[in-house]
PDB file of all heavy atoms in Angstrom:
ATOM      1  N   CYS A 109      23.261 -16.888  -2.301  1.00  0.00           N
ATOM      2  CA  CYS A 109      24.434 -17.847  -2.487  1.00  0.00           C
ATOM      3  C   CYS A 109      23.911 -19.258  -2.247  1.00  0.00           C
ATOM      4  O   CYS A 109      24.596 -20.194  -2.820  1.00  0.00           O
ATOM      5  CB  CYS A 109      25.466 -17.559  -1.422  1.00  0.00           C
ATOM      6  SG  CYS A 109      24.975 -17.634   0.300  1.00  0.00           S
ATOM      7  N   ARG A 151      23.074 -10.758  -9.192  1.00  0.00           N
ATOM      8  CA  ARG A 151      23.833 -11.313  -8.120  1.00  0.00           C
ATOM      9  C   ARG A 151      24.197 -12.821  -8.361  1.00  0.00           C
ATOM     10  O   ARG A 151      25.440 -13.022  -8.012  1.00  0.00           O
ATOM     11  CB  ARG A 151      22.824 -11.376  -6.830  1.00  0.00           C
ATOM     12  CG  ARG A 151      22.421 -10.017  -6.306  1.00  0.00           C
ATOM     13  CD  ARG A 151      21.424 -10.233  -5.100  1.00  0.00           C
ATOM     14  NE  ARG A 151      20.849  -9.018  -4.612  1.00  0.00           N
ATOM     15  CZ  ARG A 151      21.365  -8.398  -3.483  1.00  0.00           C
ATOM     16  NH1 ARG A 151      22.498  -8.802  -3.106  1.00  0.00           N
ATOM     17  NH2 ARG A 151      20.811  -7.304  -3.077  1.00  0.00           N
ATOM     18  N   ILE A 152      23.442 -13.537  -8.996  1.00  0.00           N
ATOM     19  CA  ILE A 152      23.806 -14.836  -9.187  1.00  0.00           C
ATOM     20  C   ILE A 152      23.402 -15.330 -10.542  1.00  0.00           C
ATOM     21  O   ILE A 152      22.587 -16.308 -10.793  1.00  0.00           O
ATOM     22  CB  ILE A 152      23.091 -15.773  -8.072  1.00  0.00           C
ATOM     23  CG1 ILE A 152      21.683 -15.415  -7.988  1.00  0.00           C
ATOM     24  CG2 ILE A 152      23.836 -15.804  -6.823  1.00  0.00           C
ATOM     25  CD1 ILE A 152      20.726 -16.572  -7.458  1.00  0.00           C
ATOM     26  N   LEU A 204      31.078 -11.257   4.525  1.00  0.00           N
ATOM     27  CA  LEU A 204      29.995 -11.731   3.599  1.00  0.00           C
ATOM     28  C   LEU A 204      30.292 -11.075   2.248  1.00  0.00           C
ATOM     29  O   LEU A 204      30.677  -9.914   2.104  1.00  0.00           O
ATOM     30  CB  LEU A 204      28.597 -11.288   4.061  1.00  0.00           C
ATOM     31  CG  LEU A 204      28.056 -12.237   5.202  1.00  0.00           C
ATOM     32  CD1 LEU A 204      28.588 -12.094   6.452  1.00  0.00           C
ATOM     33  CD2 LEU A 204      26.452 -11.997   5.122  1.00  0.00           C
ATOM     34  N   CYS A 205      29.988 -11.802   1.194  1.00  0.00           N
ATOM     35  CA  CYS A 205      29.896 -11.288  -0.289  1.00  0.00           C
ATOM     36  C   CYS A 205      28.709 -10.291  -0.253  1.00  0.00           C
ATOM     37  O   CYS A 205      27.659 -10.696   0.045  1.00  0.00           O
ATOM     38  CB  CYS A 205      29.892 -12.352  -1.101  1.00  0.00           C
ATOM     39  SG  CYS A 205      29.517 -11.713  -2.874  1.00  0.00           S
ATOM     40  N   PRO A 206      29.026  -9.003  -0.767  1.00  0.00           N
ATOM     41  CA  PRO A 206      27.844  -8.057  -0.761  1.00  0.00           C
ATOM     42  C   PRO A 206      26.864  -8.400  -1.810  1.00  0.00           C
ATOM     43  O   PRO A 206      25.741  -8.037  -1.871  1.00  0.00           O
ATOM     44  CB  PRO A 206      28.564  -6.726  -1.073  1.00  0.00           C
ATOM     45  CG  PRO A 206      29.961  -7.061  -1.617  1.00  0.00           C
ATOM     46  CD  PRO A 206      30.307  -8.427  -0.999  1.00  0.00           C
ATOM     47  N   GLN A 207      27.311  -9.168  -2.782  1.00  0.00           N
ATOM     48  CA  GLN A 207      26.419  -9.556  -4.025  1.00  0.00           C
ATOM     49  C   GLN A 207      25.648 -10.679  -3.768  1.00  0.00           C
ATOM     50  O   GLN A 207      24.307 -10.585  -3.997  1.00  0.00           O
ATOM     51  CB  GLN A 207      27.308  -9.726  -5.246  1.00  0.00           C
ATOM     52  CG  GLN A 207      26.570  -9.965  -6.475  1.00  0.00           C
ATOM     53  CD  GLN A 207      27.315  -9.776  -7.736  1.00  0.00           C
ATOM     54  OE1 GLN A 207      27.830  -8.614  -8.027  1.00  0.00           O
ATOM     55  NE2 GLN A 207      27.616 -10.857  -8.512  1.00  0.00           N
ATOM     56  N   CYS A 208      26.094 -11.763  -3.228  1.00  0.00           N
ATOM     57  CA  CYS A 208      25.324 -13.018  -3.129  1.00  0.00           C
ATOM     58  C   CYS A 208      25.105 -13.417  -1.679  1.00  0.00           C
ATOM     59  O   CYS A 208      24.363 -14.420  -1.469  1.00  0.00           O
ATOM     60  CB  CYS A 208      25.924 -14.144  -3.841  1.00  0.00           C
ATOM     61  SG  CYS A 208      27.381 -14.885  -3.208  1.00  0.00           S
ATOM     62  N   GLY A 209      25.903 -12.786  -0.734  1.00  0.00           N
ATOM     63  CA  GLY A 209      25.721 -13.105   0.710  1.00  0.00           C
ATOM     64  C   GLY A 209      26.520 -14.404   0.992  1.00  0.00           C
ATOM     65  O   GLY A 209      26.476 -14.834   2.231  1.00  0.00           O
ATOM     66  N   GLU A 210      27.379 -14.857   0.364  1.00  0.00           N
ATOM     67  CA  GLU A 210      28.322 -16.069   0.544  1.00  0.00           C
ATOM     68  C   GLU A 210      28.999 -15.708   1.771  1.00  0.00           C
ATOM     69  O   GLU A 210      29.501 -14.541   1.979  1.00  0.00           O
ATOM     70  CB  GLU A 210      29.101 -16.407  -0.654  1.00  0.00           C
ATOM     71  CG  GLU A 210      29.881 -17.750  -0.474  1.00  0.00           C
ATOM     72  CD  GLU A 210      28.970 -18.947  -0.136  1.00  0.00           C
ATOM     73  OE1 GLU A 210      28.585 -19.126   1.093  1.00  0.00           O
ATOM     74  OE2 GLU A 210      28.575 -19.620  -1.044  1.00  0.00           O
ATOM     75  N   TYR A 212      32.451 -16.147   4.334  1.00  0.00           N
ATOM     76  CA  TYR A 212      33.849 -16.561   4.382  1.00  0.00           C
ATOM     77  C   TYR A 212      34.363 -16.231   5.698  1.00  0.00           C
ATOM     78  O   TYR A 212      34.015 -15.375   6.485  1.00  0.00           O
ATOM     79  CB  TYR A 212      34.643 -15.909   3.384  1.00  0.00           C
ATOM     80  CG  TYR A 212      34.286 -16.122   1.969  1.00  0.00           C
ATOM     81  CD1 TYR A 212      33.306 -15.226   1.386  1.00  0.00           C
ATOM     82  CD2 TYR A 212      34.705 -17.220   1.341  1.00  0.00           C
ATOM     83  CE1 TYR A 212      32.973 -15.501  -0.017  1.00  0.00           C
ATOM     84  CE2 TYR A 212      34.360 -17.478   0.046  1.00  0.00           C
ATOM     85  CZ  TYR A 212      33.363 -16.665  -0.579  1.00  0.00           C
ATOM     86  OH  TYR A 212      32.981 -16.844  -1.873  1.00  0.00           O
ATOM     87  N   LYS A 220      38.012 -12.964  -5.558  1.00  0.00           N
ATOM     88  CA  LYS A 220      36.610 -13.086  -6.199  1.00  0.00           C
ATOM     89  C   LYS A 220      35.750 -14.073  -5.495  1.00  0.00           C
ATOM     90  O   LYS A 220      36.122 -15.063  -5.000  1.00  0.00           O
ATOM     91  CB  LYS A 220      36.773 -13.457  -7.682  1.00  0.00           C
ATOM     92  CG  LYS A 220      37.143 -12.364  -8.648  1.00  0.00           C
ATOM     93  CD  LYS A 220      37.173 -12.823 -10.017  1.00  0.00           C
ATOM     94  CE  LYS A 220      37.667 -11.884 -10.954  1.00  0.00           C
ATOM     95  NZ  LYS A 220      36.813 -10.741 -11.232  1.00  0.00           N
ATOM     96  N   CYS A 221      34.480 -13.759  -5.258  1.00  0.00           N
ATOM     97  CA  CYS A 221      33.582 -14.618  -4.570  1.00  0.00           C
ATOM     98  C   CYS A 221      33.520 -15.944  -5.312  1.00  0.00           C
ATOM     99  O   CYS A 221      33.392 -15.970  -6.520  1.00  0.00           O
ATOM    100  CB  CYS A 221      32.317 -14.006  -4.624  1.00  0.00           C
ATOM    101  SG  CYS A 221      31.019 -15.073  -3.803  1.00  0.00           S
ATOM    102  N   LEU A 222      33.671 -17.114  -4.619  1.00  0.00           N
ATOM    103  CA  LEU A 222      33.716 -18.378  -5.289  1.00  0.00           C
ATOM    104  C   LEU A 222      32.253 -18.711  -5.715  1.00  0.00           C
ATOM    105  O   LEU A 222      32.205 -19.721  -6.584  1.00  0.00           O
ATOM    106  CB  LEU A 222      34.177 -19.354  -4.186  1.00  0.00           C
ATOM    107  CG  LEU A 222      35.531 -19.186  -3.725  1.00  0.00           C
ATOM    108  CD1 LEU A 222      35.901 -20.136  -2.628  1.00  0.00           C
ATOM    109  CD2 LEU A 222      36.579 -19.080  -4.872  1.00  0.00           C
ATOM    110  N   THR A 223      31.232 -18.221  -5.300  1.00  0.00           N
ATOM    111  CA  THR A 223      29.848 -18.457  -5.612  1.00  0.00           C
ATOM    112  C   THR A 223      29.322 -17.616  -6.823  1.00  0.00           C
ATOM    113  O   THR A 223      28.724 -18.083  -7.707  1.00  0.00           O
ATOM    114  CB  THR A 223      28.930 -18.290  -4.408  1.00  0.00           C
ATOM    115  OG1 THR A 223      29.380 -19.210  -3.371  1.00  0.00           O
ATOM    116  CG2 THR A 223      27.468 -18.720  -4.803  1.00  0.00           C
ATOM    117  N   CYS A 224      29.494 -16.336  -6.680  1.00  0.00           N
ATOM    118  CA  CYS A 224      29.011 -15.343  -7.736  1.00  0.00           C
ATOM    119  C   CYS A 224      30.139 -14.717  -8.462  1.00  0.00           C
ATOM    120  O   CYS A 224      29.825 -14.010  -9.543  1.00  0.00           O
ATOM    121  CB  CYS A 224      27.992 -14.412  -7.098  1.00  0.00           C
ATOM    122  SG  CYS A 224      28.851 -13.070  -6.219  1.00  0.00           S
ATOM    123  N   ALA A 225      31.418 -14.818  -8.168  1.00  0.00           N
ATOM    124  CA  ALA A 225      32.418 -14.332  -9.012  1.00  0.00           C
ATOM    125  C   ALA A 225      32.477 -12.808  -8.860  1.00  0.00           C
ATOM    126  O   ALA A 225      33.276 -12.121  -9.594  1.00  0.00           O
ATOM    127  CB  ALA A 225      32.398 -14.748 -10.489  1.00  0.00           C
ATOM    128  N   ALA A 226      31.858 -12.100  -8.038  1.00  0.00           N
ATOM    129  CA  ALA A 226      31.936 -10.722  -7.747  1.00  0.00           C
ATOM    130  C   ALA A 226      33.327 -10.461  -7.178  1.00  0.00           C
ATOM    131  O   ALA A 226      33.937 -11.217  -6.490  1.00  0.00           O
ATOM    132  CB  ALA A 226      30.874 -10.359  -6.790  1.00  0.00           C
ATOM    133  N   LEU A 228      35.934  -9.446  -4.542  1.00  0.00           N
ATOM    134  CA  LEU A 228      35.493  -9.436  -3.122  1.00  0.00           C
ATOM    135  C   LEU A 228      36.650  -8.631  -2.346  1.00  0.00           C
ATOM    136  O   LEU A 228      36.685  -7.510  -2.333  1.00  0.00           O
ATOM    137  CB  LEU A 228      35.408 -10.970  -2.726  1.00  0.00           C
ATOM    138  CG  LEU A 228      34.501 -11.113  -1.515  1.00  0.00           C
ATOM    139  CD1 LEU A 228      33.150 -10.511  -1.707  1.00  0.00           C
ATOM    140  CD2 LEU A 228      34.353 -12.747  -1.226  1.00  0.00           C
TER     141      LEU A 228
HETATM  142 ZN1   ZN B 301      29.209 -13.734  -4.024  1.00  0.00          ZN
END
Side-chain angles (χ1 to χ4, degrees):
C109 57
R151 294 172 184 271
I152 43 156
L204 279 75
C205 170
Q207 184 164 296
C208 75
E210 189 58 274
Y212 298 95
K220 280 182 185 291
C221 177
L222 301 177
T223 301
C224 73
L228 212 52

